[in-house]
Every structure is written in C-alpha cells, then in structure tokens.
Amino acid sequence: MGHIRLGTLPKTRPWIKVVELVADAQADVPAIAKATLDASDKAFQAIQNDPGFTETVVLMTELAIAAKQKDPVRHLNQVGLDIHEHCSVPEIASAIQSFLDDKASLRRSHSDFAELSQNALVGAITSHLGDKLGGLFTPSPAEVNNAMSHLGRPGEFGKLARTFFERVSHNCMLYFLSKAAGAEVGEGKRFATIKQVKDFEAAMAKHSREASVIVEEYCGDWFSSKRWEGGGKIDRKLTSGFGWYAIEKIRGEMRARAQPDAS
C-alpha cells in the first residue's frame, strides 16, 4: 500500500495461500483474514510511518481535544479546520476531507493508505454524529455542536477511534483481497454471483468490527491519560505511535480469532 499498488497479486508463498483459501469454499473468514494479514505484513511495514495516516489520526485526536475547550470552533480553526459554529454534519465531513486533501497537496503525496485512512475518518465521524443525533432528519446547529462536544469524553473518543481503526483495518483487507476475490467470481468458482461477493465482504466487515472491540477502551484511556499529562494537549509523536499501535492490536486480534481454540 502507499506506493504499493496491486495490479496482480504478488506470486509469493503467503499470497498463493490467500488465493487458495479464497478459492476454497470451505475456508472461513477468520482463516482468510489471517492469511491476508500474514501476506501483507511486508506492505504494512512500509507504511508504518505514512504521513497521511499520521495526519488523519492527529486530526481525529484534535476533534476530541477541541471538545474540551471553551471555544471548540476557534481551536479547530487554529488547527486549520475550516468550520464554523453553525456547521451541519455534512459540512463537518467536507471540512475534514478538505483539510486532509490540503495537507496531502502540501506534502505533494497522497498514498493509498492515506486515502483509506481519510475516508475512514470521514465515515467514522459521520456515523458517530449520526448515532448521537438519533437519526434526526435536519438537526439544528446547536444539536450538532452538542454531539461534537461529547467527543471530549474518553468513552466517546474510544467509540469514535474504534470505528475509525476498524474501518481502516477492514478497508485495507478489502484492498488486498479484491484481486483474489474478483478472480473467483463466476460459474464453478467460489462466488457464483456478485451478491455472494458482497456477502463475503459483509462477513469480513463483521470480523473486523468484532476484532476492533479490543481497542475501544484502550483508545479512551489513552486519550484521557495523554491529555492530562500534556495539560490539555497531546504531542503529535505520541499520537502517531498511538494510531499504529491500535492498528496492530486489531490485526493481532484478528489473528487470534483464527486459532482453532478461539471462541
């Protein structure tokens, strides 16, 4: 990922195993997920310090830090996020997208992993605010601001971060699996229809979602302790390490769930 783009799957033993498992109708999702994780280890080592991913995690953390400020909008404006106090949820999502796009332009680089991370944050914040607003068709600015203010609570940050890291992990899996699954669509193959591919992807999403539970409490506790230690701020280097550690925790949990004795 990043500079690695999959035109065809690498012909290495780990990737051959992934292809074989996808083709095997008896292979379950945890086993395929584990094989994919094992085969993509080298790619993940290459993107560990991806600046786009770091920028996305830093922005997610700043959203929570802003929620604890007397003037959250002013804090986010100082960070560089172009929002106002009467923003709607779509406007907040658009501002996040524009902010990260601008950062990529300044770096003159925008990796695949950065794009996946960016989309994951936009989706996570939209989903989180939607849940807090209870499905209101046209929430007022005050209701949106109130929902945003909850992000400063460790438990709420933990939920947002869990959704974000789960989406990153899941989308990375689909990125690597897309070629293998696509080659197994058709008569006489594992997926006779496109619907079966979608069902497989849904099962993979469920697997990622269940594995991500391991980071929710960790993320909330991390935010609370680091914010307290930093006097209301969190160092960028700490945030970068936090983001990668959360991804590795989810990947480790996915591997563990593929073990024969896993419940």
Side-chain angles (χ1 to χ4, degrees), residues 151-197:
L151 289 178
R153 301 174 183 175
E156 292 299 320
F157 178 78
K159 291 177 183 177
L160 173 66
R162 174 189 173 180
T163 301
F164 167 69
F165 290 122
E166 175 264 312
R167 286 174 180 245
V168 172
S169 301
H170 172 62
N171 289 340
C172 284
M173 289 263 262
L174 289 188
Y175 180 101
F176 286 113
L177 277 171
S178 60
K179 296 296 179 181
E184 286 302 319
V185 179
E187 186 177 353
K189 297 186 178 181
R190 175 165 183 158
F191 307 111
T193 65
I194 295 298
K195 181 183 181 303
Q196 290 181 339
V197 176

Side-chain angles (χ1 to χ4, degrees), residues 104-166:
S105 295
L106 290 173
R107 292 192 308 272
R108 296 185 179 181
S109 67
H110 194 57
S111 70
D112 293 346
F113 189 54
E115 184 173 353
L116 288 176
S117 302
Q118 179 174 321
N119 291 339
L121 180 57
V122 171
I125 194 68
T126 301
S127 174
H128 188 80
L129 292 178
D131 289 344
K132 297 303 295 182
L133 292 166
L136 294 174
F137 185 67
T138 53
S140 69
E143 289 167 330
V144 174
N145 287 342
N146 183 56
M148 286 289 287
S149 71
H150 291 171
L151 289 178
R153 301 174 183 175
E156 292 299 320
F157 178 78
K159 291 177 183 177
L160 173 66
R162 174 189 173 180
T163 301
F164 167 69
F165 290 122
E166 175 264 312

Side-chain angles (χ1 to χ4, degrees), residues 179-227:
K179 296 296 179 181
E184 286 302 319
V185 179
E187 186 177 353
K189 297 186 178 181
R190 175 165 183 158
F191 307 111
T193 65
I194 295 298
K195 181 183 181 303
Q196 290 181 339
V197 176
K198 296 298 183 184
D199 290 344
F200 171 74
E201 291 177 351
M204 193 65 71
K206 182 172 184 270
H207 182 60
S208 299
R209 202 160 47 244
E210 291 174 347
S212 69
V213 69
I214 196 170
V215 302
E216 184 172 327
E217 185 176 356
Y218 159 71
C219 291
D221 289 346
W222 176 88
F223 174 74
S224 180
S225 64
K226 297 308 177 186
R227 182 180 172 277

Side-chain angles (χ1 to χ4, degrees), residues 83-119:
I83 66 170
H84 53 81
E85 59 183 344
H86 302 301
C87 270
S88 65
V89 174
E91 287 172 332
I92 291 171
S94 178
I96 290 172
Q97 191 91 39
S98 296
F99 173 88
L100 293 171
D101 282 342
D102 289 345
K103 290 291 185 180
S105 295
L106 290 173
R107 292 192 308 272
R108 296 185 179 181
S109 67
H110 194 57
S111 70
D112 293 346
F113 189 54
E115 184 173 353
L116 288 176
S117 302
Q118 179 174 321
N119 291 339

